[in-house]
């Protein structure tokens, strides 16, 4: 089906081409139909794929673009074929080799490992691991070395070798093969090996010819010229001692065995075989050592076991140097000995001149250092230690010890005989903080058992100077020792020794380190005993009591802290209160049970507690007490927090046996006083059980007979009783009740049972008394209290 738009022209009128030129003679109607349909799809943007002509007006069509014409396309295709036919041969023959050479020049080459084995005078085997890189990843190629690779060093050709073809893909290629290496110039090669062993780095230049196959083409006669910068061995400077041993005595000294690890930063490795070295330290020749089966591998550490003899030294200077070397080793101080090359036999038998020349020119530095710190003096044990602290030097107490023992053991299996120990220094360390240094320890040769390497030191009285920044740690240490049942600290130090060995008489500075675990005094869990409580005096401020304080000290420490004042609190008749202070004129503890004399100053602001305590004290009661410290307990600055932490429970007994305070009473009744005003004159006989004067100020007694109230005594007539005496009180009055009921009681009950009372017969009565007293003198001199006495 076809149609023409309204007003359209016929085909001949529409197209300005001849029939032969037009391409659309038979499809005009179809094109016109598509043109109409395309307008219907304009809003969807789909018409462009259909139209070949567009109209500016209904009467004019555009021409098709020239590049889409068949003639143009055919012309371009023919031109391209002609261009490629001419250009490609030119590119392949002239341009591609230049590009290949440029890529080869810019490529990198790295020797990862090159190990030389089976070395001979003019040849050896090398195992090569290398990598070629720096080539654009878009290229894949095979490179073949068409000539031997010449190795140059400092402008000299030192050798040559052959390498297999290298396949390059993804910008890099690997070389991994074993090949022969021909030494071109033994003198130059010997100089190279010396330089490689001695220097930090060196450079090789590799030259050769190569063929490159890439992009289906083979490019020949490419020049290879690569400079390779590699690390040297720096005279084996990266050496580490794995072990240092003197396994036994030898006729001319001691057998020596040193195992070392030598880092190899260079990619070059070499079979060394048997190496002989001469050991020296400063001016002393120590001896000769041999290492067998030595193999240096590129980029890997070499383990050598050097065995030989450490020679006996007789020269005083050399003995001094040997002593320093051994002391430094024992003290974990790096000591630089040297090892000079003597010979090398790669196969264990035959020498190679260029390798021997290099080894003879090599001097290794051997850093003698123990792999782990050595502890030569072990099992340190302190038998006793005293510590005396005074206010004038709170951070420099005087310390001493009768016995500090240890086991002396050198890490060598050679015969030794210690003939002298001196200049012993010790550092006390508490929880990582150095507290103080001791420099006065003396070797007690008599008490030591040298056959079993058991050493005993004594420590004469000397100052223990606490480090300035360790005051808090020192106080914490003392507090732990005083409060806890277990404590500890570390000791490090050294001692100078004179030791006879198979290598000669050496002077060694021997280090030591030990952890000391010991018993503490344990105030926090101990209960001191308080006995022999005696009232010895009184003042207007307090009553003075003398007591004996027993403290058990399970530790090794003797402590002398001078005068100490502690607080005492207690309970009496259900009342609690502060009793006063316990003053110890000399707070000096020794291991075991220590008995200390103390003076208790009894005073309290609670009068009820005061009267209850003193009343029970006279009656021989036992009190629960607590002894505590405070910031006023001592005038020694370093001891303040130590005593502040003190808190001990104990029991305090009263006067045992309990004294009979009112020994007796004596009344003088008559018929008139009994039946008249009922006032009976009487006096008490009172004993002073104290070790100080006792003043009886007032007596308030309730008198009863067979549980019947008989009267009251109210006396206010002070009298003083000297120490240990018993005196009768001034005459007092017993006032019987004036009631009719009491009169009937007298007539009907009391007098019939006690008719003799009117003529002086003694009658037993009961009294409940409150006695006002002053301890230590009269009321204005001593301490005032009341005693409730039955």
């Amino acid at each position: 089906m076809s149609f023409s738009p309204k007003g359209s022209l016929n085909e001949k009128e529409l197209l300005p081409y001849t029939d032969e030129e037009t391409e659309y003679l038979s499809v005009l109607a179809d094109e016109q139909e598509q043109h109409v349909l395309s307008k219907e799809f304009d809003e969807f943007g789909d018409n462009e794929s259909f139209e070949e002509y567009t109209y500016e007006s209904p009467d004019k069509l555009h021409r098709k673009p020239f590049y889409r014409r068949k003639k143009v396309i055919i012309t371009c295709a023919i031109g391209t074929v002609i261009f490629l036919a001419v250009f490609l041969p030119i590119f392949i023959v002239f341009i591609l080799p230049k590009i290949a050479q440029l890529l080869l020049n810019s490529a990198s080459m790295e020797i990862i490992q090159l190990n030389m084995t089976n070395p001979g005078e003019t040849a050896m085997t090398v195992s090569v691991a290398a990598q070629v890189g720096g080539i654009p990843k878009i290229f894949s190629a095979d490179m073949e070395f068409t000539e031997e690779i010449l190795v140059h060093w400092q402008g000299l050709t030192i050798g040559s070798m052959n390498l297999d073809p290298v396949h390059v893909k993804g910008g890099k290629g690997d070389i991994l093969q074993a090949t022969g290496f021909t030494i071109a110039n033994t003198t130059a090669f010997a100089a190279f090996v010396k330089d490689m062993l001695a220097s930090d780095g060196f450079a090789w230049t590799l030259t050769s010819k190569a063929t490159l196959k890439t992009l289906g083409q083979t490019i020949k006669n490419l020049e290879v010229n690569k400079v390779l910068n590699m690390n040297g061995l720096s005279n084996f400077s990266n050496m580490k001692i794995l072990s240092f041993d003197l396994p036994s005595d030898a006729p001319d000294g001691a057998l020596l065995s040193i195992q070392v690890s030598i880092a190899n930063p260079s990619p070059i490795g070499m079979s060394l075989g048997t190496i002989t070295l001469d050991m020296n330290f400063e001016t002393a020749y120590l001896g000769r050592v041999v290492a067998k089966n030595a193999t240096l591998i590129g980029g890997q550490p070499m383990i050598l076991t050097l065995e030989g003899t450490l020679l006996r030294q007789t020269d005083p200077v050399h003995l001094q140097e040997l002593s320093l070397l051994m002391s430094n080793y024992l003290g974990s101080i790096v000591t630089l000995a040297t090892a000079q090359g003597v010979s090398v036999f790669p196969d264990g038998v035959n020498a190679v001149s260029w390798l021997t020349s290099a080894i003879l020119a090599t001097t290794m530095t051997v850093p003698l250092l123990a792999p782990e710190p050595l502890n030569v003096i072990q099992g340190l044990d302190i038998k006793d230690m005293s510590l005396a602290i005074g206010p004038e030097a709170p951070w420099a107490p005087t310390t001493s010890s009768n016995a500090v023992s240890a086991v002396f053991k050198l890490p060598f299996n050679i015969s030794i005989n210690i003939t002298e120990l001196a200049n012993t220094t010790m550092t006390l360390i508490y929880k990582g903080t150095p507290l103080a240094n001791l420099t006065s320890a003396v070797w007690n040769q008599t008490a030591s058992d040298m056959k079993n390497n058991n050493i005993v030191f004594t420590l004469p009285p000397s100052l223990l100077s606490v480090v300035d920044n360790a005051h808090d740690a020192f106080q914490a240490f003392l507090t732990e020792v005083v409060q806890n049942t277990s404590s500890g600290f570390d000791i490090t130090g050294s001692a100078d020794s004179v030791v006879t060995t198979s290598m000669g008489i050496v002077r060694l500075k021997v280090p030591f380190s030990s952890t000391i675990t010991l018993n503490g005094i344990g105030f926090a869990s101990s209960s001191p005993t308080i006995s022999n409580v005696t009232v010895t005096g009184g003042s207007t401020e307090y009553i003075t009591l003398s007591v004996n304080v027993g403290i058990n000290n399970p530790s090794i420490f003797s402590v002398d802290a001078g005068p100490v004042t502690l607080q005492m609190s207690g309970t009496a008749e259900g009342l609690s209160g502060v009793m006063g202070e316990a003053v110890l004129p000399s707070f000096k503890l020794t291991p075991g049970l220590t008995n200390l004399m103390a003076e208790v100053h009894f005073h309290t602001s609670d009068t009820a507690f005061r009267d209850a305590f003193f009343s029970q004290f006279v009656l021989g009661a036992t009190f629960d007490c607590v002894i505590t410290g405070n910031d006023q307990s001592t005038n020694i600055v370093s001891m303040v927090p130590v005593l502040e932490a003190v808190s001990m429970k104990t029991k305090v007994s009263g006067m045992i046996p309990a004294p009979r305070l009112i020994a007796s009473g004596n009344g003088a009744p008559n018929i008139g006083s009994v039946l008249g005003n009922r006032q009976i004159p009487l006096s008490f006989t009172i004993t002073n059980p104290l070790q100080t004067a006792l003043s009886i100020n007032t007596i308030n007694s309730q008198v009863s007979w067979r549980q019947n109230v008989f009267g009251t005594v109210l006396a206010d007539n002070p009298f003083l009783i000297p120490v240990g005496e018993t005196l009768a009180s001034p005459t007092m009055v017993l006032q019987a009740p004036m009631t009719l009921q009491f009169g009937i009681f007298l007539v009907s009950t009391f007098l019939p049972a006690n008719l003799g009372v009117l003529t002086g017969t003694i009658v037993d009565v009961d009294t409940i008394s409150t006695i006002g007293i002053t301890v230590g003198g009269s009321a204005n001199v001593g301490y005032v209290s009341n005693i409730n006495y039955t």
Side-chain angles (χ1 to χ4, degrees):
M1 176 179 174
S2 62
F3 65 90
S4 298
K6 184 178 180 180
S8 63
L9 302 176
N10 60 40
E11 295 177 5
K12 297 272 178 109
E13 296 174 332
L14 180 63
L15 300 173
Y17 308 110
T18 63
D19 291 343
E20 292 80 7
E21 293 174 331
T22 183
E23 299 177 15
Y24 301 99
L25 291 176
S26 63
V27 293
L28 178 61
D30 291 340
E31 288 292 305
Q32 290 174 339
E33 182 180 359
Q34 290 179 10
H35 180 69
V36 173
L37 291 174
S38 69
K39 288 184 178 180
E40 296 177 6
F41 287 95
D42 276 350
E43 62 182 322
F44 300 103
D46 296 334
N47 58 313
E48 293 179 0
S49 62
F50 298 102
E51 63 180 357
E52 292 188 4
Y53 292 91
T54 58
Y55 295 91
E56 294 181 358
S57 69
D59 300 322
K60 186 177 180 179
L61 291 172
H62 282 295
R63 295 176 62 183
K64 182 179 180 181
F66 78 94
Y67 54 82
R68 299 184 67 176
R69 301 175 190 171
K70 284 185 177 181
K71 183 185 291 187
V72 174
I73 293 173
I74 293 172
T75 301
C76 289
I78 294 172
T80 300
V81 171
I82 295 171
F83 173 78
L84 292 176
V86 174
F87 177 75
L88 281 179
I90 296 173
F91 176 78
I92 293 172
V93 173
F94 297 102
I95 299 176
L96 187 58
K98 299 292 185 183
I99 294 175
Q101 185 66 59
L102 182 63
L103 291 175
L104 187 59
N105 292 344
S106 63
S108 63
M109 185 174 183
E110 178 187 4
I111 298 292
I112 299 172
Q113 198 174 78
L114 191 149
N115 293 317
M116 302 176 181
T117 57
N118 304 316
E121 290 293 343
T122 59
M124 71 184 82
T125 302
V126 293
S127 299
V128 182
Q131 188 175 79
V132 177
I135 299 173
K137 295 182 179 180
I138 61 173
F139 289 99
S140 178
D142 290 303
M143 184 174 66
E144 180 180 356
F145 298 99
T146 57
E147 295 181 1
E148 282 188 326
I149 298 175
L150 300 180
V151 180
H152 309 274
W153 171 78
Q154 294 186 0
L156 301 173
T157 302
I158 60 175
S160 62
M161 60 182 172
N162 292 309
L163 291 180
D164 293 340
V166 182
H167 178 68
V168 178
K169 185 178 181 180
K172 62 182 181 179
D174 294 323
I175 300 172
L176 184 63
Q177 71 175 95
T179 186
F181 187 97
T182 301
I183 299 173
N185 184 333
T186 56
T187 302
F189 195 76
F192 155 68
V193 176
K194 289 180 187 178
D195 183 62
M196 179 191 73
L197 296 179
S199 66
D200 296 332
F202 61 92
W204 270 4
T205 301
L206 305 184
T207 62
S208 185
K209 294 281 188 179
T211 295
L212 187 68
K213 295 179 180 180
T214 183
L215 301 176
Q217 301 298 315
T218 299
I219 303 101
K220 299 180 179 180
N221 295 321
L222 296 175
E223 294 287 340
V224 176
N225 191 313
K226 289 296 168 189
V227 176
L228 307 180
N229 292 302
M230 291 177 275
N231 292 327
L233 275 81
S234 305
N235 266 332
F236 301 96
S237 60
N238 297 313
M239 183 183 295
K240 181 180 179 182
I241 300 295
L242 301 180
S243 66
F244 180 87
D245 189 24
L246 301 175
S248 67
D249 295 335
D252 52 350
L255 295 182
L256 172 65
S257 177
I258 306 175
Q259 189 178 58
V260 299
S261 172
I262 303 175
N264 181 10
S266 174
I268 305 297
M270 189 177 297
S271 294
L272 300 176
T274 300
I275 304 176
T276 302
L277 304 168
D278 278 341
M279 298 287 294
N280 297 274
F281 176 63
E282 295 186 353
T283 65
Y285 173 60
L286 302 178
R288 181 163 290 182
V289 292
V290 176
K292 296 182 179 180
N293 301 318
T295 301
L296 192 64
I297 299 176
Q300 297 182 17
M302 174 175 63
I303 307 299
L304 286 182
T305 299
L306 303 169
E307 295 181 331
T309 301
L310 190 58
L311 298 176
R312 180 182 296 111
Q313 304 294 326
T314 57
D315 183 275
V317 174
H318 296 163
L319 279 171
Q320 185 177 357
E321 292 168 348
L322 178 62
S323 299
L324 176 61
L325 183 145
M326 296 184 67
S327 295
N328 287 351
Y329 184 79
L330 296 176
S332 297
I333 300 172
V334 178
T335 305
L336 301 179
T338 59
Q340 178 67 50
V342 175
S343 65
V344 58
F345 303 106
D347 60 358
V349 178
N350 301 299
V352 176
S353 61
W354 56 264
L355 185 54
T356 299
S357 175
I359 291 297
L360 289 177
T362 299
T363 301
M364 304 180 194
T365 298
V366 182
L368 290 175
L369 178 67
E372 299 292 337
L374 300 175
N375 194 14
V376 178
I377 297 181
Q378 305 170 357
L380 207 62
D381 184 25
I382 300 177
K383 302 299 182 182
D384 66 279
M385 177 172 282
S386 67
L387 205 64
I389 307 178
E392 67 284 350
W395 306 112
T398 299
T399 185
S400 63
S401 177
N402 293 317
V404 179
S405 65
V407 176
F408 183 100
K409 183 173 177 58
L410 289 174
F412 309 125
N413 193 27
I414 58 175
S415 57
I416 63 171
N417 180 28
I418 301 172
T419 59
E420 185 179 338
L421 278 173
N423 300 325
T424 303
T425 63
M426 300 180 185
T427 299
L428 275 63
I429 301 172
Y430 176 69
K431 293 185 177 179
T433 300
L435 296 182
N437 297 321
L438 285 171
T439 60
S440 57
V442 177
W443 178 35
N444 188 336
Q445 189 171 4
T446 303
S448 298
D449 180 7
M450 300 313 298
K451 289 183 178 180
N452 296 309
N453 294 330
N454 188 18
I455 303 169
V456 177
F457 299 95
T458 58
L459 185 65
S462 54
L463 292 181
L464 181 70
S465 297
V466 179
V467 180
D468 289 341
N469 61 358
H471 289 181
D472 290 345
F474 181 66
Q475 290 175 320
F477 166 67
L478 292 180
T479 300
E480 181 179 90
V481 168
V482 171
Q483 288 293 103
N484 298 346
T485 56
S486 64
S487 183
F489 55 91
D490 296 323
I491 289 183
T492 62
S494 65
D496 292 341
S497 63
V498 177
V499 183
T500 301
T501 72
S502 58
M503 300 166 293
I505 299 175
V506 293
R507 295 181 177 272
L508 302 179
K509 181 174 284 294
V510 181
F512 58 84
S513 178
S514 184
T515 297
I516 307 296
T517 301
L518 41 79
N519 293 329
I521 298 173
F523 274 4
S525 57
S526 66
S527 296
T529 60
I530 296 180
S531 58
N532 299 329
V533 181
T534 304
V535 178
T536 59
S539 67
T540 55
E541 297 179 0
Y542 54 79
I543 296 174
T544 303
L545 297 93
S546 173
V547 300
N548 182 282
V549 181
I551 299 176
N552 184 46
N553 176 13
S555 77
I556 65 168
F557 285 98
S558 296
V559 179
D560 186 354
V564 168
T565 300
L566 301 173
Q567 289 285 114
M568 288 190 67
S569 303
T571 59
E573 294 184 348
L575 300 176
S576 298
V578 176
M579 298 167 57
E581 296 84 33
V583 179
L584 292 89
S586 178
F587 187 75
K588 186 175 183 179
L589 300 180
T590 58
L593 179 62
T594 301
N595 289 305
L596 302 175
M597 292 305 299
E599 190 175 88
V600 177
H601 295 167
F602 179 88
H603 62 92
T604 177
S605 58
D606 185 345
T607 56
F609 176 72
R610 177 201 66 189
D611 295 347
F613 178 83
F614 209 73
S615 298
Q616 292 298 307
F617 177 77
V618 172
L619 293 175
T622 299
F623 308 92
D624 291 325
C625 294
V626 179
I627 301 173
T628 58
N630 57 32
D631 59 1
Q632 301 299 314
S633 292
T634 179
N635 61 348
I636 302 173
V637 175
S638 57
M639 290 294 294
V640 169
V642 180
L643 292 174
E644 272 189 298
V646 170
S647 180
M648 297 180 290
K649 294 180 179 180
T650 187
K651 292 183 179 296
V652 177
S653 298
M655 301 184 71
I656 297 176
R660 187 173 178 84
L661 189 61
I662 300 178
S664 63
N666 183 23
N670 55 54
I671 191 65
S673 62
V674 171
L675 298 177
N677 59 11
R678 298 178 184 173
Q679 292 182 348
I680 303 172
L682 60 81
S683 66
F684 288 129
T685 301
I686 300 176
T687 299
N688 177 8
L690 311 179
Q691 296 299 308
T692 185
L694 177 66
S695 175
I696 306 298
N697 302 323
T698 61
I699 297 177
N700 184 342
S701 293
Q702 298 295 322
V703 180
S704 61
W705 178 76
R706 296 181 182 178
Q707 298 182 348
N708 295 289
V709 175
F710 201 81
T712 302
V713 176
L714 295 175
D716 186 7
N717 190 5
F719 65 98
L720 189 68
I721 306 175
V723 176
E725 294 190 14
T726 300
L727 296 178
S729 67
T731 301
M732 296 173 285
V733 174
L734 169 63
Q735 178 63 60
M738 296 297 294
T739 62
L740 176 62
Q741 183 179 4
F742 183 75
I744 296 172
F745 163 74
L746 284 174
V747 173
S748 61
T749 304
F750 179 74
L751 288 176
N754 300 284
L755 287 176
V757 71
L758 298 177
T759 59
T761 302
I762 295 175
V763 178
D764 291 329
V765 295
D766 298 320
T767 63
I768 298 175
S769 304
T770 299
I771 305 173
I773 63 170
T774 300
V775 178
S778 59
N780 58 348
V781 174
Y783 187 81
V784 175
S785 183
N786 293 312
I787 296 177
N788 298 316
Y789 187 78
T790 300

